[in-house]
Amino acid sequence: MKRLSAFFAFFLACTLAFAQGRNLPDFADLAEKQGPAVVNISTTQTVRRGGQMSPFPFDENDPAFEFFRRFIPVPPGSAVPREFENKSLGSGFFISADGYILTNAHVVDGADEVTVRLTDKREFKARIIGADKRTDVALIKIEAANLPVARLGDPQKLRPGEWVVAIGSPFGFDNSVTAGIVSAKGRSLPQENYVPFIQTDVAINPGNSGGPLFNMNGEVVGINSQIYSRSGGYMGVSFAIPIDVAMDIQNQLRASGKVSRGRLGVVIQEVNKELADSLGLLKPMGAVVNAVEKGGPADKAGLEPGDVILRFDGRPINASADLPRIVGATRPGTRSLVQVWRKGSTRDITVVVGEMQEDKSAQRLAKTQRPPEQAANRLGLVLSELTAEQKRELKLGAGLAVEEIRSGAPRSDLRVGDIIIAVISKGATTELKSVEQFNKLLQQFEKGGNVTLLIRRGELQTFITIKGINGSN
């Protein structure tokens, strides 16, 4: 009887496995229908270096190079210029029958020549219409007609766990098909504030960049752009630019060859639980304003450091990364309503959105001098008050310079050289004008409690929460 039960259990398991296998998606039709709209892109860039290149077939670091240089005479003029061609590969796809192609900006960046190869082996020289490095989207064009066009879908309807397919040219292997699922949506990456990336586990490798990401309806929902890798190859984490973001960029590139973005002129950071408690928010949300550019759109509208931006033009700011995307997509000159949290209540502020310019390099600030025989406070900090000269250079009315962080101090992100501008507690902001004033404020906090500080570091302002305050100093 036991053997019979075991047999039926085994039979049932096999039946279920077979049924589940039959339900796995088939990507063959999708690849066959959509593959012709995907192209291979190869670029050539002439790289010039100063001086002349040695005629010897050895690298200058090779020991043989020195031997040949010493004992084999080189006739004058036999050296060749230090100039060579740098080639790279990528992918793209047609968005119009007359030859417009979407790809990544980094695929065609600096290219002297762009060649597009179709699945029928035809090759065309492409013209770069425009590229936007901030979103890594580029628009190129070939002179041809009646070309296969990829159908576009709605990335907003994608759900984590849904099957997706990539077609591209990894390592130059044309029209390679890989599949996986959507791992997450709206991902923010370092230095990539303008794209809510689609994260997938689709195998993406060098050469896939710029290729389409399809949903199971055969519609393009993204452009494969980046991978997270410690080896340089696929490791299970890939990122794609949502196609609606890319199409907005290409519309601007086609119209003017450049992209215009809105800006507020603020420095922001994420609101964590400790900061939310200090500001009197019920939960972590929004983007807290660390600094406001003097004379910028936010300054003219009346936004202040310490404000938490909760909504922009009616759209909620759930995380700080949402704000740059929404503002960047707003047309410069638009009058937008901004909802902020200030001193325990919300208020609406109308701001005229400015236009983003090229990034400016930060300027150096003067170093502070450590005062003699200064005692540490409850945070284990040795502080000094700013001199009149330092206030002028830093453009601050007051503040305390961190001269030393003593051993035994609570762990925090504070650094020597930071300027502590204010203490944030229960939604109230208290500016710091003296070391004595700060020490008295610290006495109001319980041992082991948290304190949130507004600090200046270089040209940026940020909030730092120090956990676990020591006993009385």
Side-chain angles (χ1 to χ4, degrees):
M1 189 68 180
K2 290 183 178 179
R3 289 183 179 180
L4 189 61
S5 299
F7 171 77
F8 278 115
F10 175 75
F11 177 77
L12 180 60
C14 291
T15 303
L16 289 173
F18 178 74
Q20 290 173 353
R22 292 184 61 185
N23 290 331
L24 288 175
D26 184 350
F27 308 111
D29 288 342
L30 187 156
E32 182 180 355
K33 293 178 181 178
Q34 303 304 324
V38 184
V39 300
N40 172 287
I41 299 175
S42 59
T43 66
T44 302
Q45 179 184 14
T46 301
V47 180
R48 298 175 177 84
R49 293 181 177 175
Q52 299 288 311
M53 185 181 298
S54 168
F56 303 132
F58 303 102
D59 184 87
E60 293 180 6
N61 296 320
D62 194 313
F65 175 86
E66 184 63 19
F67 174 82
F68 276 82
R69 188 187 69 81
R70 287 189 178 189
F71 298 106
I72 298 180
V74 179
S78 62
V80 295
R82 287 181 176 271
E83 179 176 301
F84 61 94
E85 286 188 344
N86 183 32
K87 297 184 178 181
S88 63
L89 293 172
S91 306
F93 56 97
F94 289 113
I95 58 171
S96 70
D98 59 349
Y100 281 98
I101 298 169
L102 273 182
T103 185
N104 284 148
H106 76 261
V107 170
V108 298
D109 184 32
D112 296 316
E113 185 176 84
V114 180
T115 302
V116 172
R117 184 169 66 248
L118 280 60
T119 54
D120 60 10
K121 306 306 178 184
R122 287 186 294 167
E123 292 190 356
F124 298 85
K125 298 300 180 186
R127 176 167 53 98
I128 300 175
I129 303 300
D132 179 53
K133 291 185 178 181
R134 282 192 168 99
T135 55
D136 197 23
V137 172
L139 180 68
I140 64 176
K141 190 180 188 304
I142 64 173
E143 296 305 321
N146 301 317
L147 296 166
V149 179
R151 293 189 296 121
L152 305 184
D154 184 359
Q156 302 299 325
K157 295 180 180 179
L158 277 180
R159 296 184 301 163
E162 183 176 336
W163 284 97
V164 281
V165 175
I167 303 179
S169 303
F171 305 109
F173 295 108
D174 291 9
N175 239 235
S176 295
V177 182
T178 53
I181 62 170
V182 176
S183 303
K185 294 174 59 179
R187 286 294 196 211
S188 298
L189 302 181
Q191 309 304 318
E192 304 284 354
N193 295 326
Y194 299 98
V195 178
F197 285 99
I198 303 167
Q199 179 186 332
T200 76
D201 69 351
V202 178
I204 300 296
N205 283 291
N208 272 117
S209 293
L213 182 73
F214 293 96
N215 62 19
M216 290 305 293
N217 294 324
E219 301 167 331
V220 178
V221 290
I223 302 178
N224 297 307
S225 175
Q226 299 187 38
I227 60 174
Y228 177 85
S229 174
R230 294 178 178 174
S231 64
Y234 169 70
M235 292 184 68
V237 182
S238 309
F239 298 96
I241 304 161
I243 192 61
D244 54 350
V245 173
M247 289 302 292
D248 176 67
I249 297 300
Q250 76 86 26
N251 285 335
Q252 296 189 57
L253 292 175
R254 193 185 298 201
S256 62
K258 65 176 185 178
V259 177
S260 179
R261 285 190 176 83
R263 65 183 293 269
L264 283 181
V266 295
V267 177
I268 60 173
Q269 78 175 75
E270 190 73 20
V271 179
N272 57 25
K273 184 179 184 304
E274 292 78 14
L275 185 53
D277 292 341
S278 299
L279 295 170
L281 285 167
L282 294 178
K283 63 178 181 178
M285 60 187 299
V288 63
V289 177
N290 292 340
V292 179
E293 176 192 328
K294 187 175 181 180
D299 183 40
K300 293 178 180 178
L303 266 72
E304 302 174 357
D307 286 347
V308 179
I309 299 177
L310 302 176
R311 304 181 75 86
F312 186 90
D313 263 348
R315 300 177 64 181
I317 309 299
N318 296 313
S320 61
D322 296 338
L323 186 64
R325 299 172 192 159
I326 295 174
V327 175
T330 304
R331 187 187 302 275
T334 302
R335 294 178 65 85
S336 299
L337 193 65
V338 181
Q339 184 187 76
V340 303
W341 176 267
R342 180 185 296 173
K343 298 179 180 179
S345 62
T346 58
R347 63 179 66 190
D348 292 334
I349 297 175
T350 300
V351 59
V352 179
V353 177
E355 184 171 5
M356 182 175 294
Q357 305 297 324
E358 293 299 319
D359 297 335
K360 297 180 180 179
S361 59
Q363 301 175 350
R364 292 187 176 182
L365 298 172
K367 294 183 179 180
T368 58
Q369 300 294 322
R370 176 181 173 178
E373 304 296 331
Q374 180 73 23
N377 60 18
R378 288 185 67 189
L379 300 179
L381 306 177
V382 177
L383 306 172
S384 69
E385 296 164 12
L386 298 182
T387 65
E389 181 181 356
Q390 289 168 349
K391 291 176 184 177
R392 285 196 300 272
E393 291 178 350
L394 296 168
K395 297 180 181 178
L396 290 175
L400 306 177
V402 178
E403 306 294 347
E404 184 180 350
I405 301 176
R406 297 274 174 87
S407 60
R411 294 185 62 181
S412 72
D413 293 329
L414 269 179
R415 304 174 189 172
V416 173
D418 287 345
I419 309 298
I420 303 177
I421 299 173
V423 175
I424 316 297
S425 178
K426 298 179 181 179
T429 301
T430 305
E431 295 185 354
L432 299 177
K433 299 180 180 179
S434 70
V435 174
E436 181 182 4
Q437 173 207 13
F438 186 35
N439 290 339
K440 287 182 178 179
L441 284 172
L442 290 179
Q443 296 303 323
Q444 300 174 13
F445 291 85
E446 296 180 359
K447 181 179 178 181
N450 303 335
V451 58
T452 298
L453 307 175
L454 173 62
I455 71 159
R456 170 82 168 266
R457 178 176 295 163
E459 290 192 337
L460 300 178
Q461 290 186 183
T462 186
F463 290 95
I464 288 180
T465 298
I466 301 178
K467 302 178 182 179
I469 300 174
N470 295 332
S472 299
N473 56 342

